Amino acid sequence: MNKRFYITTAIDYVNGQPHLGHAYEKVIADVIARARRSLGQDVFFLTGLDEHGQKVQQAAQAEGKDPQAYCDQLAQDWKAFAGALGLTNDDFVRTTDARHKEIVQASLAKVNADGHVYKATYTGFYSVKEETFLTEKDRRPDGTFDPSFGQVIELNEENYFFKLKDQQQWLIDYIEKNPDFIQPSYRRNEVLGFLKNNTLEDLCISRPKARLSWGIPIPFDSNYVTFVWFDALVNYISIPAAHGDKSVTSAVHSELRTPNSELPLWPADIHVIGKDIVKFHAVYWPIMLKALGLPLPKQLLVHGWWQKDGAKISKSTGNVVDPVAIINEWGVDAFRFYVLRELDIGPDGNWTDAGFNSRYSAELANGLGNLVNRSLSMLKRYRNGVVPAPSNELAADAEKVVAETKALLEQNELQKALQSIWSLVTRANQYIDKTAPFKLAKDPAQAQRLDEILYNLVETCRILAVLVWPFLPGTAGKINAQLGLPGEPDKLSAAVWGSLKAGHQIGDPAALFPRKDV
Ligand code: MSP
């Protein structure tokens, strides 16, 4: 069986409700997954939840709940959220799944048996919030630790360490030889700078049960649980193992229950992650994989962070964007469109309600919505909804945009792809204004010219449905249905000019993006 295109997102801490940042990342991954399927590839898209560790234990405690019960309850909300975003994930991992825990333990046993792990006493400072040990380098000039570390405590405890020393050079070489491994390139340069200017400290991968009980037990010492990141990163291979990926099961020497499929998935083609967790993915994860004898993922695609109205998104200050409220009010396609059209994958972005409203009305309602509605309504009114003979006036414009979009989707250039698609929307709306079919309709001598214009418009709408499908699947489906076409416009190969046949009867036009009076 051929390896599928395997794309993942970061798995979210389940210590509250999902927000804009979580939603944005999942939408990026979904659009890439859908785009690859539209291009004809077999895809496996994985997302899910990071349920262990201190943050989740504390959140459960704060509500007086048992952590597992707390996670089970919230996981329902998060799964519903994935549905509300229109995600087409093929699986949903929870790190409390038995299938995941099994592979984490098998991975730990393997790296331990191969001499990558040792036990030592750590004395020093520890950030509870970041679940990380701090060094002198983390101190500010006045000797204090940055408030972002939250409560800092002094610790003296024995733990297991995963060796990172001596792993630096091959990783630097690898990143230098594989420019696509970390994208965008400025993130790659940051990682290279970090690796070249610092000596890696070995990574503490255990927490004593006495201090933190909410984790996966270390298989070779029952007094400890696994550090949450060693647990979480493994989700990218535990789910392939659960689907019968033999490269993973044999690497970790796992004697898994017989899975009901045999999907080769690893290595991942893309891990979509935020800028704050690059070090875990670009430094620790590759070293873990090498120790396990597994190949590295092909790409880390790193997105920036959203702010709202120029300030940090924060529950405590109330500066939040609730994606569910936006989706309920404006529709999921409007949400997906805004976040991807507004922000390229890489830099930080700023959500403003005014910006959202203005893209909704200019690009969705007046742009795409108006084009489809005017085109289909005129065909209905002037030709009883029957498609006239093919004409090629807009063919070259459409073909150029299809080729451009295809190339951009192959490079995960989602914002640029939307810009290209919207150049066709604008072109077609201008074509209506210039050719004025509503005037020609009054003159029977212009019947042939009117036929030509109507064909060009309706065929452009059909092609646009195919192009927007990865981004706006619901809207694309509606356009297709209004065109009286069966199924979903989910294959880019259908975006060939002239496929709409003369005599085809379209369905009933209806507004795609109802106007809002705000
Ligand atoms: N559980 C870890 C990831 C483990 S992956 C093996 C984690 N979880 S998180 O819930 O804190 O963040 C999940 C993702 O959401 C991260 O990629 C993070 O960058 C992203 N975002 C969180 N807030 C964000 C914004 N304000 N804007 C954009 N993305 C942000 O880290």
Side-chain angles (χ1 to χ4, degrees), residues 336-348:
R336 291 168 63 109
F337 177 78
Y338 177 71
V339 290
L340 295 181
R341 177 62 188 79
E342 178 69 18
L343 184 57
D344 197 9
I345 300 174
D348 289 339

Side-chain angles (χ1 to χ4, degrees), residues 104-138:
V104 170
Q105 292 193 321
S107 302
L108 281 164
K110 154 103 176 158
V111 293
N112 185 48
D114 291 351
H116 296 282
V117 174
Y118 63 93
K119 198 174 185 185
T121 303
Y122 172 84
T123 312
F125 293 94
Y126 181 78
S127 153
V128 178
K129 182 166 162 237
E130 296 296 319
E131 293 186 48
T132 180
F133 295 91
L134 303 175
T135 65
E136 287 307 316
K137 278 196 214 124
D138 297 310

Side-chain angles (χ1 to χ4, degrees), residues 11-13 19 21-22 25 50 236 274 276-277 303-306:
I11 50 173
D12 302 319
Y13 287 123
H19 62 57
H22 303 125
E25 176 174 286
D50 191 354
Y236 302 136
D276 56 322
I277 54 176
H303 62 77
W305 268 43
W306 281 94

Side-chain angles (χ1 to χ4, degrees), residues 8-117:
T8 69
T9 67
I11 50 173
D12 302 319
Y13 287 123
V14 59
N15 59 349
Q17 291 294 322
H19 62 57
L20 171 63
H22 303 125
Y24 171 58
E25 176 174 286
K26 282 35 180 195
V27 168
I28 292 177
D30 186 64
V31 171
I32 296 175
R34 286 177 184 262
R36 299 294 169 145
R37 292 194 193 104
S38 181
L39 286 159
Q41 283 178 270
D42 272 338
V43 173
F44 192 94
F45 167 24
L46 178 65
T47 187
L49 295 175
D50 191 354
E51 302 192 355
H52 291 123
Q54 197 132 348
K55 280 189 220 275
V56 176
Q57 180 172 292
Q58 281 176 344
Q61 260 163 10
E63 292 194 13
K65 289 190 179 133
D66 158 68
Q68 186 66 61
Y70 172 82
C71 289
D72 288 348
Q73 201 178 6
L74 272 179
Q76 295 315 311
D77 298 342
W78 284 78
K79 278 188 182 170
F81 184 63
L85 290 172
L87 305 188
T88 53
N89 50 303
D90 295 277
D91 202 335
F92 189 94
V93 58
R94 297 181 53 193
T95 54
T96 51
D97 291 344
R99 58 185 184 158
H100 170 74
K101 292 193 226 172
E102 209 167 322
I103 297 296
V104 170
Q105 292 193 321
S107 302
L108 281 164
K110 154 103 176 158
V111 293
N112 185 48
D114 291 351
H116 296 282
V117 174

Side-chain angles (χ1 to χ4, degrees), residues 4 14-15 29 55 58 73-74 110 117-118 171 199 237 245 258 273 332 341 357 400 415 423 427 469 488 493:
R4 292 215 215 166
V14 59
N15 59 349
K55 280 189 220 275
Q58 281 176 344
Q73 201 178 6
L74 272 179
K110 154 103 176 158
V117 174
Y118 63 93
L171 188 53
T199 306
I237 56 171
D245 186 328
T258 320
I273 56 164
V332 61
R341 177 62 188 79
N357 291 353
K400 179 172 163 276
Q415 186 191 45
S423 73
R427 168 77 177 96
W469 180 78
E488 294 295 315
S493 55

